[in-house]
Amino acid sequence: MKGYRSVVLATVAALLAGGAATYFSGSASAAAACAPAWSSTAVYVGGNTASQNGHNYSAKWWTQNESPATHSGQWDVWADNGACGGTTPPTTPPTTPPTTPPATTPPPTTPPPSNGTLPAHFLTGYWQNFDNGAAPLKLAAVPANYDLIAVAFADATATPGAVSFTLDPGLAGAVGGYTDAQFKADIATLHARGKKVIISVGGEKGTVSVANAAAATNFANSVYSLMTTYGFDGVDIDLENGLNATYMAQALRSLRAKAGSNLIITMAPQTIDMQSTGSSYFALALSIKDILTVVHTQFYNSGSMLGCDQNAAYSQGTVNFLTALACIQTQNGLRPDQVALGLPSSTRAAGGGYVAPSVVNNALDCLARGTNCGTFKPPATYPGIRGAMTWSINWDVANGNGFANTVKPHLATLP
């Protein structure tokens, strides 16, 4: 189960570079006319064009305040269309997304979702639908410090891509009985407390596979059915045995079309999955950036890894590890508000990578303010850094709630 992976992964290679620059011969007059100059305050959606530093660019999805010169490449928001010259059109860039994107563009994109009532900085915890020695809990017994509760896990079915959910009999027995009706009522109770509850798909032993268009449709339909049946607010992608970025993106966009703009979509990749924009998880995150809520990477069970500076391998279980690896995501396309730090809530919750909750707070301070850093200093500060996640709520309760009681109050102090 998640939290018990003990395989130590080798240090990975340097981040993949973005697309190579394109060069043109001939005079400037032969180059294409420049699109309207890029504006940091304008909103662009897929297909919109802009120019910067003598190059034309086209947006792949919703973006604002992401410079084409530094955010272009295979997996980034802008595509470099080559050098431009001549007279720049006098028109100004769009300030609002068009109502209907051109038929040739990817599925319609929208501004970042409101995410319901999730705070600017929030704490996520996984609730275990099984009994493995951690504190067994009914859902309504989740401590109040958790803002987002991920129910672990949905189960694969015989239909490719489809998932289901069943309360674990062992858990039900451990808590003195638990029925579907009580579980649904507990979700309603958490909603009344201002909390959000999502269904997590995958885990270490999960076998869900979305590898073609039919499976993508089955995934979207089955997750939406669970949402309407139980009251889940969204879905967490925690596929630890590989995923197909193309078809999972298709599935999540289809789910978004069904569920609406308040759908919460989170991802819980392993550390190695977010080392390079060429990995399937990172590619998925970037391709659904316009509808993605947050990526809470599992910064544990991973051994040593390269950071965004590419100068050294940082050891798990340190503030350097958390900050140097989190900035890979903020420097390579994700907004800071889409990045959170995932840690085990106790030494028993994972095979390695545990840090004291105070170290999590230091890492958040380093990323948000540039204070309380270790020897690694991020290249920028990210006041919007979203927060933290822990595996699991049950292990935290078994450990006296040290993680939630330490990290949650600190989140309120961030910018």
Side-chain angles (χ1 to χ4, degrees), residues 85-141:
T87 304
T88 300
T91 55
T92 57
T95 56
T96 57
T99 302
T100 305
T104 57
T105 63
T109 58
T110 60
S114 66
N115 301 326
T117 56
L118 286 174
H121 307 288
F122 64 86
L123 180 62
T124 300
Y126 282 83
W127 176 84
Q128 297 180 185
N129 181 38
F130 47 85
D131 182 13
N132 67 342
L137 299 171
K138 291 185 177 181
L139 201 57

Side-chain angles (χ1 to χ4, degrees), residues 24-336:
F24 291 83
S25 60
S27 65
S29 61
C34 288
W38 173 75
S39 168
S40 62
T41 60
V43 170
Y44 300 85
V45 296
N48 288 162
T49 58
S51 64
Q52 189 177 28
N53 299 340
H55 271 236
N56 277 333
Y57 298 87
S58 57
K60 301 177 188 177
W61 53 76
W62 189 99
T63 178
Q64 185 179 36
N65 196 28
E66 292 179 302
S67 166
T70 57
H71 288 279
S72 63
Q74 183 179 8
W75 299 112
D76 221 327
V77 61
W78 291 98
D80 188 341
N81 297 329
C84 66
T87 304
T88 300
T91 55
T92 57
T95 56
T96 57
T99 302
T100 305
T104 57
T105 63
T109 58
T110 60
S114 66
N115 301 326
T117 56
L118 286 174
H121 307 288
F122 64 86
L123 180 62
T124 300
Y126 282 83
W127 176 84
Q128 297 180 185
N129 181 38
F130 47 85
D131 182 13
N132 67 342
L137 299 171
K138 291 185 177 181
L139 201 57
V142 168
N145 275 329
Y146 290 95
D147 303 297
L148 178 63
I149 298 95
V151 170
F153 296 98
D155 303 307
T157 73
T159 302
V163 298
S164 64
F165 177 77
T166 304
L167 282 171
D168 179 70
L171 171 71
V175 296
Y178 207 16
T179 66
D180 258 17
Q182 291 171 329
F183 181 77
K184 293 174 187 177
D186 281 356
I187 291 180
T189 296
L190 290 173
H191 284 161
R193 295 173 185 167
K195 312 300 181 180
K196 296 295 182 181
V197 185
I198 57 178
I199 182 68
S200 182
V201 177
E204 180 185 357
K205 298 181 179 180
T207 59
V208 177
S209 175
V210 179
N212 54 51
T217 298
N218 294 337
F219 182 90
N221 289 343
S222 61
V223 172
Y224 185 65
S225 177
L226 293 180
M227 291 177 65
T228 57
T229 299
Y230 291 97
F232 293 121
D233 299 291
V235 64
D236 171 63
I237 307 302
D238 183 18
L239 300 178
E240 299 183 14
N241 296 298
L243 62 78
N244 184 303
T246 298
Y247 292 111
M248 181 54 76
Q250 180 179 317
L252 292 173
R253 288 195 178 279
S254 178
L255 179 61
R256 166 65 179 256
K258 295 173 181 292
S261 61
N262 283 334
L263 175 71
I264 295 172
I265 299 176
T266 69
M267 295 167 55
Q270 298 172 99
T271 312
I272 195 171
D273 295 325
M274 298 301 287
Q275 281 277 289
S276 162
T277 56
S279 72
S280 58
Y281 249 110
F282 213 141
L284 172 62
L286 293 175
S287 70
I288 62 164
K289 179 178 175 179
D290 56 302
I291 61 172
L292 174 66
T293 306
V294 71
V295 176
H296 35 237
T297 303
Q298 302 175 42
F299 288 123
Y300 50 94
N301 287 345
S302 55
S304 297
M305 291 280 174
L306 293 174
C308 64
D309 57 346
Q310 290 296 293
N311 291 330
Y314 296 95
S315 299
Q316 66 177 356
T318 64
V319 68
N320 283 342
F321 185 85
L322 300 178
T323 54
L325 272 71
C327 86
I328 293 175
Q329 299 171 43
T330 56
Q331 292 297 108
N332 286 276
L334 292 182
R335 302 190 310 269

